[in-house]
Amino acid sequence: MIQKYLYGVPFDTESVVAPIPASQGDPPVGTVKTSESGFCFACPLAEGDRVYGLGEANRGINKRGFVYVSDNVDDGLHTENKQRMYAAHNFIVISGQQNLGLFFDYPARIRFDIGFTRRDWLEVTCERADLALYVITGDSACDVVKQFRAIIGRSYIPPKFAFGFGQSRYGYKTQADFEEVVAKHRQAHIPLDMVYMDIDYMDHYKDFTVNPEEFPDFSGFVSKMKEQGVRLVPIVDAGVKEEAGYSVCDEGKEKGYFCKRADGTDFEGTVWPGWSHFPDVLNPEARAWFGSQYKALTDCGIEGFWNDMNEPALFYSPERLKAFFESMDELSRKDNIVQDEFFGKVVGGALGLMNAPEDYASFYHNVNGQRVRHDRVHNLYGGNMTRAAGEAFACLRPGRRTLLYSRSSFIGSHRYGGIWLGDNASTWAQLLANIQMMPNVQLCGFLYTGADLCGFSYDTTPDLALRWLEFGLFTPLMRNHATDGSRMQEYYRFADMLPALRKMLRLRYALLPYLYSTFMKAALENTSYFRPLGFDFPADPDAREVQDQLLLGEGVMVAPVYTQNASGRHVYLPEAMKLYRIRSVDDYDTELLPAGHHYVRCALDEVLLFIRPGHAVPVARPASCTAQLDDTALTLWACPDENGSARCRMYTDDGETSDFAAPEHWKTLEA
């Protein structure tokens, strides 16, 4: 059952698309207090309650015991103390004595104290008592999530090539760079479907432009790459460079489509292009205009994009920079400064230039003729940039699927694109964080997700690269991405690990019939792709405790190794399962393991795949790209049930058009 409670005058975020009438009185759980100083929802947590959700957030699958803040921020240092990340996913599920979902439909900063101040207490607070609260009760956590997914609308479905492997690096600058990457993948017999283009492909970091010197015939280059089975996927940033004669800037200013200061002038902030304006993507007219700009690249044959810097990130504003220089001028006239001045004014002042709250409070959106201060709708910006592109593609590429994902997001933007989990780091802790974040992101509707394999910043190691791939081969979005200046981490560079890396990437393609079918079922039927063990085994106390194993669709459990130098790991099986210890699609061992606790050996070049009783996994022959994958000649890996039966449902389509619902796409396979 779903109940909606309205407080104050909520901003219409359009996160919920189903018509839910407002209920009168108080919610059936917890207490709500509203005042001029804000909103507070509070309820007790029983000893055995687990709290899932919040999507892209730090720490474990069970969120109990910490404070989380939805206030989208460009911060690539994802240490455990960080309360904020790139996204705002304000949905939680309390599972224990009851199964309860809570969605706080609020577009600004909101704080979740989940058993931090008091272990037995949940408290959700925000500064303005203008929001909608959705309370969902169900028979199970799965039931609660399915109801929630039904009211927020179908999750975005990418083209099938998007389930292939993509290579990326901030630092590829020239056509020769991209050609070399593709050639070396092919020479090393590493499957490849996409190469991503970071900001250096642009003409001076201007959105929707291409460097004419490095890419003199961009359309021809795109076509040449596609002939080799590779799509080029360019980045688009939120900031539009301030430059006279740049058509996007000129037209946006002329039509009033950029965010405004209080005096009506266009707000300016600095990001990669230098001084930049920010399209008012909360204004439907401006959103449609910005989306139409993607045509400059789709006309060149581009079929996929990734949106970035759309929290929106701000390096500094003119006002903040001026104030900082004035404070430095004052300090410069002193013979010496004390430590408090150095760390507080110099270091703190410089760091405080970026993403300053004062800047977010200084510009405005035009929403249906009303002026709305940005900080009061801050969390909607990145999601509406995704919406701008997604809505535009329906016109620019009618009937076709376009790859699209974003760094910043809000529940609702899951209908238009996927997300990646931001600028992570090459650490084992970040691999574990990737594993733990996936089910929570997906229960908030973001099915097409993944993290930067190997890690974006710092220097990866060959063993970390391999272990991360052994998990990443199961995630819908599978991309190796790194920052400029870090170790080159294309898989073909790790000579000692190359045979194992190649086999794991080929395994990904072999498993695509199962992975793609699982994704399509999750998107079309509001079921899950990844989920915690506690969702299927809520009465099993050991299953509820598991934080590092995931159920994948109906028939599979994955248990990645995420510890340096480990040659195995502890695994808990809530039921008997068949273990496939896989070194390649043609080289694996099987073993039927009973329910219970096990230490399972897993060499560095092996991946563990557990198949549940009565289920089968269709396996294809590997291919160099998705276009060459043959899903008609399949092998079934299976774990028969007590009756000797094992089956699976498989989904097949052309992978390009939007005809998803035809029943002939589905067939049942029996082992």
Side-chain angles (χ1 to χ4, degrees):
M1 183 173 70
I2 302 173
Q3 296 168 280
K4 178 173 76 172
Y5 298 89
L6 299 179
Y7 302 96
V9 183
F11 184 90
D12 185 7
T13 67
E14 301 184 59
S15 294
V16 174
V17 294
I20 309 292
S23 299
Q24 302 299 314
D26 297 323
V29 295
T31 59
V32 173
K33 295 180 181 179
T34 62
S35 67
E36 293 183 358
S37 60
F39 168 91
C40 176
F41 171 89
C43 73
L45 295 173
E47 180 59 32
D49 284 347
R50 285 89 57 210
V51 182
Y52 304 108
L54 293 184
E56 188 178 326
N58 247 335
R59 302 208 171 203
I61 296 175
N62 182 358
K63 297 302 180 185
R64 189 165 176 173
F66 195 57
V67 172
Y68 307 88
V69 176
S70 290
D71 188 21
N72 296 354
V73 64
D74 173 16
D75 182 352
L77 189 60
H78 304 163
T79 50
E80 282 197 10
N81 63 308
K82 294 298 176 67
Q83 299 175 347
R84 307 159 58 197
M85 295 188 76
Y86 301 102
H89 302 149
N90 302 335
F91 175 58
I92 60 174
V93 177
I94 303 172
S95 180
Q97 296 177 355
Q98 59 179 338
N99 293 286
L100 174 70
L102 299 169
F103 175 47
F104 298 85
D105 193 359
Y106 182 72
R109 181 186 177 96
I110 184 168
R111 183 178 187 269
F112 295 80
D113 183 334
I114 307 178
F116 175 76
T117 302
R118 282 178 49 185
R119 177 71 182 168
D120 62 347
W121 200 247
L122 166 71
E123 191 166 278
V124 183
T125 55
C126 52
E127 293 181 355
R128 294 170 60 84
D130 297 312
L131 73 160
L133 167 61
Y134 293 82
V135 180
I136 306 173
T137 52
D139 297 330
S140 65
C142 285
D143 179 37
V144 168
V145 172
K146 189 166 186 174
Q147 291 184 67
F148 178 64
R149 295 264 307 282
I151 68 171
I152 61 175
R154 190 180 71 196
S155 296
Y156 159 78
I157 298 174
K160 193 169 185 177
F161 74 77
F163 292 85
F165 172 62
Q167 175 59 43
S168 182
R169 183 176 179 85
Y170 174 31
Y172 298 156
K173 302 179 188 295
T174 68
Q175 182 167 320
D177 289 339
F178 292 95
E179 291 174 330
E180 178 186 20
V181 168
V182 173
K184 287 192 173 180
H185 276 82
R186 295 298 186 229
Q187 290 165 9
H189 303 289
I190 298 174
L192 182 69
D193 266 273
M194 295 156 285
V195 178
Y196 291 88
M197 308 182 81
D198 213 315
I199 55 176
D200 287 315
Y201 81 91
M202 300 179 188
D203 180 11
H204 294 88
Y205 304 143
K206 292 182 287 190
D207 278 344
F208 312 113
T209 69
V210 175
N211 185 322
E213 296 180 359
E214 300 296 348
F215 304 94
D217 178 14
F218 188 61
S219 296
F221 180 45
V222 172
S223 178
K224 176 183 176 182
M225 289 293 98
K226 189 173 179 181
E227 289 173 1
Q228 300 180 45
V230 173
R231 267 78 169 190
L232 297 174
V233 183
I235 197 170
V236 176
D237 281 355
V240 173
K241 183 176 177 63
E242 163 60 48
E243 181 181 284
Y246 168 36
S247 63
V248 181
C249 177
D250 291 345
E251 188 175 354
K253 292 174 71 172
E254 176 188 350
K255 295 185 175 180
Y257 285 159
F258 294 129
C259 294
K260 306 291 185 184
R261 294 189 182 94
D263 63 5
T265 60
D266 292 324
F267 174 77
E268 282 185 307
T270 293
V271 280
W272 296 118
W275 293 117
S276 303
H277 300 301
F278 296 86
D280 185 1
V281 289
L282 272 66
N283 174 353
E285 290 184 9
R287 183 167 63 240
W289 165 79
F290 188 74
S292 71
Q293 304 304 313
Y294 286 79
K295 185 176 188 297
L297 295 171
T298 59
D299 281 354
C300 295
I302 292 296
E303 300 174 50
F305 299 87
W306 49 307
N307 288 345
D308 197 11
M309 304 295 287
N310 53 353
E311 292 70 35
L314 293 174
F315 294 166
Y316 51 85
S317 67
E319 295 82 4
R320 219 60 48 219
L321 188 64
K322 179 182 178 183
F324 175 69
F325 284 155
E326 288 175 349
S327 67
M328 293 303 98
D329 184 61
E330 178 184 338
L331 289 178
S332 70
R333 292 192 291 270
K334 292 188 173 184
D335 293 332
N336 186 29
I337 58 175
V338 298
Q339 290 180 355
D340 287 348
E341 289 177 316
F342 174 74
F343 287 107
K345 293 186 177 182
V346 179
V347 178
L351 294 176
L353 290 172
M354 297 185 64
N355 309 314
E358 298 90 342
D359 287 334
Y360 290 131
S362 70
F363 65 92
Y364 295 81
H365 298 274
N366 176 5
V367 182
N368 300 321
Q370 299 295 312
R371 193 174 75 166
V372 179
R373 205 172 78 187
H374 173 80
D375 62 337
R376 295 180 176 175
V377 290
H378 171 71
N379 291 338
L380 301 182
Y381 192 89
N384 274 277
M385 182 181 172
T386 300
R387 180 177 178 179
E391 290 177 334
F393 296 149
C395 300
L396 297 175
R397 308 186 71 241
R400 315 293 289 181
R401 299 183 232 172
T402 304
L403 170 59
L404 176 64
Y405 59 92
S406 170
R407 190 170 75 178
S408 182
S409 60
F410 186 83
I411 291 174
S413 62
H414 72 286
R415 299 190 294 270
Y416 304 99
I419 57 174
W420 93 99
L421 301 179
D423 297 342
N424 59 4
S426 298
T427 68
W428 294 90
Q430 291 284 276
L431 168 54
L432 176 59
N434 180 190
I435 297 165
Q436 295 177 330
M437 206 175 293
M438 291 301 292
N440 285 316
V441 166
Q442 294 195 335
L443 67 85
C444 291
F446 293 91
L447 296 182
Y448 188 70
T449 54
D452 289 340
L453 305 182
C454 303
F456 175 72
S457 60
Y458 308 158
D459 291 334
T460 197
T461 59
D463 56 339
L464 176 59
L466 180 53
R467 286 300 195 198
W468 211 322
L469 176 57
E470 288 167 359
F471 174 65
L473 68 88
F474 296 110
T475 62
L477 167 60
M478 184 176 64
R479 177 178 79 157
N480 179 349
H481 183 44
T483 188
D484 197 12
S486 68
R487 177 182 192 168
M488 302 295 285
Q489 62 185 39
E490 293 86 357
Y491 289 131
Y492 53 73
R493 297 184 184 275
F494 299 109
D496 291 345
M497 294 292 183
L498 181 56
L501 289 162
R502 180 191 298 118
K503 290 174 182 177
M504 289 302 151
L505 281 159
R506 288 169 60 82
L507 177 62
R508 160 62 170 226
Y509 283 72
L511 291 174
L512 271 183
Y514 179 79
L515 301 177
Y516 187 63
S517 299
T518 299
F519 183 94
M520 296 303 291
K521 184 177 189 296
L524 298 175
E525 301 177 13
N526 292 327
T527 60
S528 68
Y529 184 93
F530 284 125
R531 65 192 179 281
L533 269 63
F535 271 44
D536 285 36
F537 303 95
D540 184 336
D542 289 346
R544 295 197 304 263
E545 292 294 317
V546 173
Q547 296 281 305
D548 56 2
Q549 301 168 213
L550 300 177
L551 297 170
L552 171 54
E554 295 178 347
V556 166
M557 185 186 77
V558 295
V561 176
Y562 55 87
T563 306
Q564 186 174 13
N565 297 321
S567 56
R569 57 157 293 166
H570 171 267
V571 175
Y572 176 68
L573 303 184
E575 61 183 353
M577 297 185 193
K578 190 171 184 179
L579 165 63
Y580 280 71
R581 184 183 285 102
I582 308 167
R583 290 166 292 279
S584 77
V585 67
D586 297 312
D587 181 13
Y588 55 87
D589 303 319
T590 65
E591 180 181 3
L592 184 64
L593 295 178
H597 293 269
H598 304 270
Y599 185 82
V600 180
R601 307 296 295 185
C602 184
L604 186 56
D605 63 348
E606 294 178 331
V607 64
L608 305 176
L609 179 70
F610 296 84
I611 301 181
R612 301 177 65 182
H615 292 277
V617 173
V619 182
R621 298 306 305 165
S624 61
C625 62
T626 53
Q628 297 179 7
L629 191 68
D630 180 3
D631 56 12
T632 61
L634 301 171
T635 301
L636 291 182
W637 293 348
C639 178
D641 60 18
E642 58 187 10
N643 299 315
S645 174
R647 65 184 62 191
C648 65
R649 290 176 67 207
M650 195 174 100
Y651 182 97
T652 55
D653 62 11
D654 61 15
E656 297 180 358
T657 60
S658 302
D659 177 24
F660 305 124
E664 59 265 26
H665 291 324
W666 291 100
K667 62 181 177 181
T668 299
L669 305 178
E670 295 194 25

